[in-house]
Amino acid sequence: MRGHDWINTFPDELILEILRRLDSKASHDACSLVCKRWLGLERLSRSTLRIGASGSTDLFIKFLAQRFVNVKAVHIDERLSISLPVNVGKKRDRAENVLTSFKLHYAAEKRPDKEEDCESFCLTDAGLTVVADGFPKLEKLSLIWCSYVTSFGIMSLGQKCKFLKSLDLQGCYVGDQGLAVVGQCCKQLEDLNFRFCESLTDSGLVELATQCGKSLKSLGVAACARITDKSLEAVGSHCKSLETLSLDSEFISDKGILAIAQGCPLLKVLKLQCINVTDRALMAVGVSCLSLEMLALYSFQQFTDEGLRSIGKGCKKLKNLTLSDCNFLGDRGLEAIATGCTELTHLEVNGCHNIGSIGLESVGKSCPRLTELSLLYCQRIDNFALTEVGRGCKYLQALHLVDCSSLGDEAICSIAKGCRNLKKLHIRRCYEVGSKGIIAVGENCHSLTDLSLRFCDRVRDEALIAVSQGCPLQYLNVSGCNQIGDAGIVAIARGCPQLAYLDNLGDMALAELGKGCPLLKDVVLSHCHQITDIGLSHLVKKCQMLKSCHMVYCPSISAAGVATVVSSCPNIKKVLVEKWKVSPRTKRRASSVLSYLCVDL
């Protein structure tokens, strides 16, 4: 501004409040570049850090703790890599930091052979101690697959982070001693996740439930071979405020679930993948957990319709139900849910081969608030079932259909005419669905923004033309639809200027996209044999927002086309291509955005 800087007359408190309301890291970073004052305030406003656990983690976390003193949530993921800036610390440390940065990139490309070398690239107990010392206000900590963290690091964390409310130790080799200290010191713990914590036993979880059970609201346990019903009995006895429980274990039986049902009456979310649990446990849930809102049952071979009847009879507040690979559940169970749980908004049926049209018809007749429906590998559900859904579920916003061979255009037409608020439609390998059904969607569903028609061979260009005239699409995937050509994609390009993702194109379509869809961010060109370098050049001239481009198995795209994408798109972050198509110059200029698919020539 000329003459006077009006913005910096604002007090610090007001600018901090503005910064706290920013919704993206990119916005935070941009504000930090305004001036030194804003840089300092932006650092004060940061409450969450997401970092990788590779490299000199102790140094990196100490560096972050000095800059961001108000952080309350830290997410460390061993699967992510980090890159230290060269100018960390004093000038005399620059050589060391350059070496560290080099090590980070090397670690991403080559896994060290020796265990001691591997450890130097991972978060250890020493690094976790740095977290505890550097972020005393910490309330939420997530350690994903940090396999070198042990009980000693967790003990240090528990002793120093008294305000901790959420702890995620997925994939960490943490034993009972560490959890005992956490239970003794962190009395505000509300959320715990112990997925794939192989060294955890009943002793540690019982101690934790005893010490901080009063505050615990959410618990997740999966693939912990030494966790048995004894732990769940302790949770049922001490965790009266528990609202969310996720269990994946072959060592849990009815006894443990009964203890939870009887001891945790406030339970709202229950996710079970326990092969030894039977209808008896589900009946107890239906009798005692009257506040249940979400139920997910995976791979149960001992559940029958009797269990679902109990849920339908008792859990009147149920809104979200997932049934996956439960082979002994049938129409009667789903009917009981539909008639008893009329508040249902989300339903997913996946691979339950005994559930057919009768059960889904009941959902259409009795659940008018349904907003999302997913039917995967449901061969026995026919057109009439979806006709009932179209008649009764006027608020449906998302429909997912995968490998439902009995569903065709009649079903899609009924949905289109009855569910005019539909925003998301994903259909895959439903070979009876053709242009007629999709045309009806274009004519009636004027809020549709997300359309995926994968391997639907009967859908032609006229369907996309109708969609382009009636739907403000932002996402389109028509991979495997061999009857769709440039005419349909061109219509989408001209009629859907908000489009941000597209799959399956030709040169003419790329040219139209460049003209009509300047907001395009992601494009998948893989297996498009008709795409050439010329089409790519037309696309990148106008689509300056492009962030990712997949173009493997495109025989007419050369090294020149790859170079065009990399050099012309300032926001590009990922280009997936065969390695042999990348020239040495392009590799030097854009190695960080290139991802390779290795193929045999």
Side-chain angles (χ1 to χ4, degrees), residues 235-280:
V235 171
S237 298
H238 300 284
C239 305
K240 302 297 182 182
S241 299
L242 193 70
E243 296 180 356
T244 300
L245 178 64
S246 178
L247 289 176
D248 180 356
S249 174
E250 59 187 82
F251 302 101
I252 300 296
S253 68
D254 287 344
K255 185 178 180 181
I257 305 300
L258 286 170
I260 292 293
Q262 295 168 1
C264 306
L266 301 180
L267 199 65
K268 294 182 179 180
V269 177
L270 180 60
K271 301 178 182 180
L272 295 177
Q273 187 166 347
C274 306
I275 60 174
N276 292 317
V277 174
T278 69
D279 281 337
R280 183 180 172 218

Side-chain angles (χ1 to χ4, degrees), residues 325-345:
D325 295 321
C326 300
N327 293 329
F328 292 98
L329 296 179
D331 287 331
R332 292 184 179 180
L334 192 55
E335 278 185 287
I337 291 290
T339 55
C341 308
T342 56
E343 300 293 320
L344 200 67
T345 60

